[in-house]
């Protein structure tokens, strides 16, 4: 069984920063990509960033140059550093992995960007 736990969300002012942490518990391959998604109010869930096994990364255009996804020194810990936050970044953020035939999601964490 794979479990994902997010932390680090909260309220930030426009232009501010937050760092989200995802801890993946369970047996996943070391090269399994780990994804960050977000779901703004009354909108669908969208992929924000992905880190691949070789630390290659992908970002959606809306966050390029502002968000950075990285791995922690501990196994299966992934960060999403969010800088220059905008009100439109407000959403519930989820980390997610696909392992075997399963798709595993964290519980989600709220990020609100407002003055």
């Amino acid at each position: 069984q794979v479990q994902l736990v997010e932390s680090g969300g909260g309220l930030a002012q426009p232009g501010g920063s937050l760092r989200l942490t995802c801890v993946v518990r369970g047996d996943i391959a070391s090269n399994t990509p780990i994804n960050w998604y977000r779901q703004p109010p009354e909108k669908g869930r969208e992929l924000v960033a992905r880190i691949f096994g070789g630390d290659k990364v992908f970002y959606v255009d809306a966050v390029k140059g502002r968000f950075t996804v990285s791995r922690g020194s501990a196994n299966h810990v992934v960060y999403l550093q969010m800088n220059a936050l905008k009100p439109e970044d407000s959403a519930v953020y989820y980390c997610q992995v696909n392992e075997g035939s399963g798709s595993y999601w964290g519980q989600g964490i709220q990020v609100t960007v407002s003055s």
Side-chain angles (χ1 to χ4, degrees):
Q1 185 70 18
V2 177
Q3 294 181 321
L4 299 92
V5 179
E6 302 100 339
S7 62
L11 176 65
Q13 292 189 339
S17 298
L18 286 172
R19 188 176 79 161
L20 305 184
T21 300
C22 175
V23 177
V24 182
R25 297 177 177 140
D27 188 17
I28 67 170
S30 60
N31 61 350
T32 298
I34 298 176
N35 304 303
W36 283 101
Y37 283 81
R38 67 184 179 187
Q39 186 165 15
E42 301 181 2
K43 293 187 178 180
R45 200 170 291 187
E46 62 177 358
L47 178 66
V48 175
R50 173 178 293 154
I51 187 163
F52 296 86
D55 288 348
K56 180 180 177 181
V57 296
F58 164 83
Y59 301 100
V60 67
D61 285 347
V63 307
K64 280 181 181 176
R66 301 188 299 120
F67 289 14
T68 302
V69 60
S70 62
R71 294 185 185 271
S73 57
N75 287 338
H76 302 331
V77 176
V78 173
Y79 302 108
L80 184 67
Q81 177 68 42
M82 305 185 295
N83 299 328
L85 283 163
K86 304 176 181 180
E88 53 263 43
D89 295 319
S90 297
V92 178
Y93 284 71
Y94 301 87
C95 59
Q96 186 269 343
V97 297
N98 296 309
E99 182 70 14
S101 60
S103 175
Y104 302 94
W105 294 81
Q107 80 284 0
I109 192 160
Q110 179 70 48
V111 169
T112 302
V113 183
S114 174
S115 56

